[in-house]
Amino acid sequence: MSADAPYPLAQDLRPVALVIVAGSIAAVKAPSALRRLREAGFQTRVIATAAALNFTTPLSLSTAADAPLHTDQTWFGPQPGAEHLLLAHADMVVCVGAGADLLSRAALGRASDLASATLLSVRCPVLWVPAMNERMWLHPAVQTNVALLRSWKHHFLGPEYGPFGSHGEGEGLGRMAEPETIAALAWGLLTPAPQDSHDLQGRRVVVSAGPTREYLDPVRFISNPSSGKMGFAVAEAARDRGARVTLISGPVNLPDPPGMEVRHIESALELRDAVMEAAGRAHLVVMTAAVADYRAAERAGEKQPKVAEEATLRLVPNPDILAELGGQKGERVLVGFAMETHAGVERAAAKARRKNADFILLNYPTQENTAFGGDDNQVTLVRPGGASEAWPRMSKLEVAHRLLTEAAKLLPPE
Ligand code: C5P
């Protein structure tokens, strides 16, 4: 909490949650949210917009909070001052029952009332808990404002699917999240997000990414559709968490990320040389590369002419780079990826054991916009012993951070 907080409760070291109650029917749940936030460990302040007071009363809000209620009347009241600036010294802002209007005032940077002026002044995390009619929530105007606020790293909880509060419109997307959920999430957001932490400061991380190309002759090769996005996300996330990163990439259509060493390879043999060299000094190696299992037994020096109808290609297996690293593991943390179409968890666990990897992230080639080429991924973490944990679908960058959080737990202390 900031030293010049508005209520200098010398003994009270609890973080401050500033609750902004907006004008929707869900405002009736605001006193309960305030109580839950206090139970979670916050001291609470509360602002009610003019519209909120149509749905809940000043007394029910101020008795549930740790301080008197703030409204537009107190802002312009007998001692007009910088109430919005004082209230902004919070550790968390929670906008309860937020409707389209408060969202738009915040997205526009208005300062036309105490709530919006305070939202302009805060520098702490902001959690929006919207509640409105489904048609309003889904309107592009509202969704554009939400996207803008998200781009400023504001957090959103809900709205949830359920019965609407009014006008017999039945069920829909628009219900406010429950007070217990609000309090739990707000408390969770107090701990820095992984992307803001520097838990990999000074660690050396090697990441392989993309496909390999196994040339048959100068113009033909065996490859796969790996886009490299997952490996690039891991490399960028590790860089942002303070690591010194070497990214070793097969041919992909992605620009070299800044702030790291990037090496380009084509074949599995080149990848193996580059990984083995870089891994010597690495604390963590993440193999996201989709390594071709085989290469041509002979690579022709010249383009091969078309022959008769049938042709036979003799293939030899490529070295298993992850298994080779696993053979000389030491304290190095090793993470692999595996794509399976069936019996995924058992196969991935067996793979982790065989390759001596600390864990493997299993994904499936079949899901839409995931794995190969997509921006999202839905993976299951599988440990060598067979324990597994399915993660929800999320962006590849979020998968990367979660992977690094798990890997960081296994790193020996420096
Ligand atoms: O055996 P499979 O290819 O399913 O294993 C996938 C994991 O092993 C990935 O992490 C991949 O990068 C790595 N791998 C490797 N060398 C190979 C094949 C796969 O390092 N030749």
Side-chain angles (χ1 to χ4, degrees):
M1 186 181 31
S2 144
D4 51 347
Y7 302 92
L9 303 171
Q11 302 306 316
D12 198 342
L13 297 176
R14 292 175 299 165
V16 174
L18 171 63
V19 173
I20 297 179
V21 186
S24 76
I25 183 71
V28 297
K29 289 199 221 165
S32 164
L34 281 160
R35 277 189 282 272
R36 297 293 183 176
L37 285 161
R38 189 197 288 156
E39 284 163 20
F42 286 105
Q43 48 178 312
T44 53
R45 313 270 181 264
V46 59
I47 296 175
T49 65
L53 296 176
N54 293 323
F55 298 95
T56 181
T57 66
L59 196 59
S60 59
L61 292 173
S62 55
T63 50
D66 290 315
L69 175 68
H70 298 268
T71 63
D72 290 345
Q73 276 69 41
T74 65
W75 196 28
F76 295 118
Q79 293 174 313
E83 204 167 88
H84 56 295
L85 296 175
L86 293 172
L87 284 166
H89 290 284
D91 297 284
M92 171 74 51
V93 173
V94 185
C95 301
V96 169
D101 201 63
L102 185 61
L103 285 166
S104 89
R105 296 205 298 281
L108 282 170
R110 303 278 309 263
S112 49
D113 64 341
L114 177 60
S116 58
T118 307
L119 280 166
L120 263 191
S121 314
V122 295
R123 294 293 176 267
C124 63
V126 178
L127 172 61
W128 289 90
V129 195
M132 70 189 81
N133 179 282
E134 182 180 65
R135 278 179 290 155
M136 294 170 75
W137 171 252
L138 294 177
H139 192 283
V142 173
Q143 288 303 310
T144 303
N145 289 335
V146 170
L148 185 60
L149 292 164
R150 276 191 205 277
S151 76
W152 301 339
K153 305 275 183 262
H154 286 209
H155 304 272
F156 280 81
L157 174 63
E160 296 176 351
Y161 195 87
F164 283 139
S166 57
H167 305 303
E169 291 202 34
E171 302 221 320
L173 191 65
R175 252 179 95 78
M176 189 175 88
E178 291 305 323
E180 307 83 77
T181 321
I182 298 171
L185 181 61
W187 190 255
L189 289 173
L190 273 186
T191 41
Q195 58 269 28
D196 298 332
S197 87
H198 267 62
D199 56 349
L200 297 176
Q201 193 70 48
R203 304 290 192 158
R204 283 184 292 270
V205 176
V206 175
V207 184
S208 71
T212 66
R213 283 182 181 174
E214 311 301 330
Y215 280 90
L216 314 178
D217 66 22
V219 293
R220 301 187 181 96
F221 54 79
I222 301 172
S223 192
N224 61 65
S226 169
S227 66
K229 286 182 184 173
M230 189 63 242
F232 276 53
V234 174
E236 292 185 289
R239 175 203 60 201
D240 293 347
R241 290 164 75 155
R244 284 158 60 185
V245 179
T246 303
L247 170 63
I248 305 170
S249 176
V252 294
N253 283 319
L254 299 171
D256 287 1
M260 65 183 75
E261 181 190 5
V262 186
R263 296 194 200 165
H264 297 276
I265 54 86
E266 286 199 281
S267 67
L269 292 181
E270 289 166 6
L271 177 64
R272 182 234 227 151
D273 289 347
V275 169
M276 292 323 250
E277 193 199 318
R281 290 161 288 125
H283 300 99
L284 165 65
V285 181
V286 184
M287 289 290 297
T288 70
V291 188
D293 290 322
Y294 296 94
R295 66 181 185 277
E298 288 112 37
R299 174 178 170 168
E302 291 176 0
K303 185 181 174 208
Q304 293 300 289
K306 199 184 306 174
V307 285
E309 296 76 52
E310 277 189 17
T312 305
L313 189 59
R314 207 160 65 79
L315 300 173
V316 292
N318 272 327
D320 191 317
I321 304 164
L322 187 54
E324 215 167 306
L325 286 169
Q328 40 186 285
K329 186 167 181 302
E331 292 198 308
R332 203 176 296 127
V333 176
L334 297 179
V335 178
F337 273 75
M339 189 171 273
E340 304 287 353
T341 50
H342 63 284
V345 172
E346 296 94 275
R347 280 167 182 255
K351 225 168 246 186
R353 285 194 294 275
R354 183 164 51 79
K355 302 189 189 216
N356 204 11
D358 290 279
F359 60 87
I360 280 199
L361 294 187
L362 166 69
N363 52 27
Y364 300 91
T366 42
Q367 285 158 342
E368 195 195 330
N369 194 34
T370 60
F372 275 147
D375 292 320
D376 291 349
N377 213 348
Q378 200 275 301
V379 303
T380 300
L381 182 148
V382 183
R383 299 193 193 269
S388 69
E389 187 185 304
W391 294 353
R393 179 180 171 143
M394 53 184 121
S395 73
K396 285 184 173 172
L397 191 60
E398 286 170 305
V399 172
H401 275 295
R402 203 148 160 183
L403 176 165
L404 292 172
T405 299
E406 289 302 321
K409 290 179 194 163
L410 305 172
L411 288 170
E414 283 193 289

